[in-house]
Amino acid sequence: MSDDDFMMASDEENYDFEYEDDDVASNASNVDIENKYYNAKALKEDDDPEPAIEEFLGVVDLEPEKGEWGFKALKQVVKLLFRRGEHDRTLRYYTQLLTYTKSAVTRNYSEKSLNNILDYVSAGTTDMKFMETFYSTTLTALEDAKNERLWLKTNLKLAKLWLDRGEYNRLTKILKVLHQACQMDDGGDDQSKGTYLLEVYALEIQMYTETKNNTKLKELYNRTLQINSAIPHPRIMGVIRECGGKMHMSEKQWEKAREDFFESFRNYDEAGSLQRIQVLKYLVLAVMLSNTDDINPFESQETKPYKSNPQIAAMNSLVDAYQRSDIHEFQRILRENGGAKGTSGGIMSDPFIHFYLDDVLRRIRAKFIVNMIAPYSRIEIDYLAKILNIDAEEMEDLLVMLILDGQVQGKIDEVSGRLEIEVAPDTGAEEAVAGTEKREREQAARQASANDTRFKALETWSGSVEKLSRIAFGVTGRA
């Protein structure tokens, strides 16, 4: 081997050795960063989180370039500072965290992490100004990063937050921004964003439902049903159909409400949403109000598994008593399972159900009364009130309603406190007589017409005979 060959070999060996040395150093650095991160996680369980915060920030400083460990460390810092109520520092380090989403971590990981942070912060504060700033900071960073998908999702999350908190003015502003983002240049809906558009409509429909703006609600509800390009999450369609059912209920279109609540339940069930139980109760309510005794809401394949659900059992018993017109059983179920408005667990604890149960009660009482008074010509109002366990005044109002609706033929005698039932007369004989008289009149008219015709024919024949006689005997008619 020549000297030159030896020198080249030596250089290669030195180069390889130096490269391996750098790699070992890099691995050692990563180990140090990782150890520091887990040491900080152990410290955060202490009563004073400041040492943990400092240790996490040390992880960020140790990384030569923005990477996954720094991103993880800043997430912990943001949560610890927010928990302490240090909103200014929270925003400062959250802003730093957002810079990592451009290239330091994958898009899916950053989206999942930001969603978790937003949920954590949203659930932990009532400071609306801070929330607006926090979300605004997020949206600005996402816009700079040109991450439209996460930008839309974050706006939708913020809109849902304002809806849940009844902040309708703030919600309206966000909805306007979202509508613009889902429009084309000509102002029409961008059907390629149909899925996002349905989510926007679902939020807007919920707002109009809560604010009882039925005009806007109806217009928007009909528009959502015309969007065919989207493949929405079943939870979104569950929301839309639930609001549609409530809209139809307010218009007393019970059958349409029943159809919408069934579709809402089916979608919630597919999505695995717990709201399916509440909507199933609404479905039962709509079935009772639609006055269709032949429809059992628990006969379908979708609803049958929930028939024995503890939260549904009372409603199931209620609809069974209603369809049998068993007023006493119906009232017993309400007493034992009704609960109070605003409480939890009872049938009447839901304000929506509570609002319409009076209509259901009136209907079953009406059915019971109509069947009960059928054999009577008169009956005491106090007696009816006692049977239904209501006061006489309420009973009288119910009877007036039935009379006006034509379900009861009668009148109320206020002096005697009775319902006088008008028995329809037996008109069979009268109708027979009237029919006979009519037939006789028609027969007489036909006979008169026939006689008149025969008389005219005879008169014509007589004139003809007279004329022939004159001709035969030379009678000219001159003097």
Side-chain angles (χ1 to χ4, degrees), residues 26 74 154 196 208 211 245 261 302 304-305 314 380 427 441 468 479:
S26 175
L74 285 170
T154 302
Y196 292 116
Y208 291 140
T211 57
F261 284 139
E302 293 87 350
K304 191 176 291 184
E380 300 285 340
T427 58
R441 285 195 299 271
L468 288 171

Side-chain angles (χ1 to χ4, degrees), residues 30 33-34 37-38 59-60 63 67-74:
N30 286 337
I33 293 171
E34 184 176 354
Y37 175 80
Y38 285 110
V59 172
V60 176
E63 270 193 326
E68 186 176 345
W69 289 111
F71 183 76
K72 288 181 176 181
L74 285 170

Side-chain angles (χ1 to χ4, degrees), residues 8-66:
M8 288 180 63
S10 299
D11 289 343
E12 288 174 1
E13 288 173 3
N14 288 337
Y15 176 77
D16 290 341
F17 179 78
E18 288 173 1
Y19 177 81
E20 290 174 1
D21 189 52
D22 289 342
D23 190 45
V24 170
S26 175
N27 288 335
S29 176
N30 286 337
V31 170
D32 289 342
I33 293 171
E34 184 176 354
N35 288 338
K36 195 170 187 65
Y37 175 80
Y38 285 110
N39 183 53
K41 283 194 75 173
L43 289 173
K44 78 173 189 175
E45 303 302 327
D46 296 342
D47 293 336
D48 181 10
E50 193 60 39
I53 293 172
E54 294 299 324
E55 192 76 358
F56 279 125
L57 291 175
V59 172
V60 176
D61 293 337
L62 273 178
E63 270 193 326
E65 294 179 356
K66 291 177 181 177

Side-chain angles (χ1 to χ4, degrees), residues 125-188:
T125 183
T126 57
D127 187 339
M128 296 296 103
K129 186 177 179 181
F130 171 73
M131 286 302 307
E132 281 186 315
T133 305
F134 199 86
Y135 271 89
S136 176
T137 302
T138 308
L139 292 168
T140 300
L142 295 174
E143 199 168 1
D144 290 343
K146 294 181 170 44
N147 191 336
E148 185 183 24
R149 185 181 69 163
L150 188 53
W151 181 88
L152 282 167
K153 286 185 175 181
T154 302
N155 267 308
L156 287 166
K157 188 183 289 289
L158 179 58
K160 181 67 168 63
L161 176 68
W162 294 150
L163 175 68
D164 292 342
R165 300 193 180 190
E167 295 283 341
Y168 299 122
N169 289 333
R170 287 183 166 98
L171 174 58
T172 302
K173 292 177 183 177
I174 297 294
L175 290 174
K176 185 177 180 181
V177 171
L178 284 166
H179 273 300
Q180 290 173 347
C182 295
Q183 287 178 346
M184 297 185 294
D185 294 337
D186 62 0

Side-chain angles (χ1 to χ4, degrees), residues 399-430:
L399 290 172
V400 169
M401 181 193 75
L402 290 172
I403 292 170
L404 293 175
D405 288 348
Q407 296 183 61
V408 171
Q409 303 297 323
K411 61 182 180 180
I412 294 174
D413 186 342
E414 294 187 359
V415 177
S416 63
R418 293 175 180 169
L419 170 67
E420 302 285 344
I421 301 165
E422 297 175 359
V423 181
D426 184 5
T427 58
E430 295 178 3

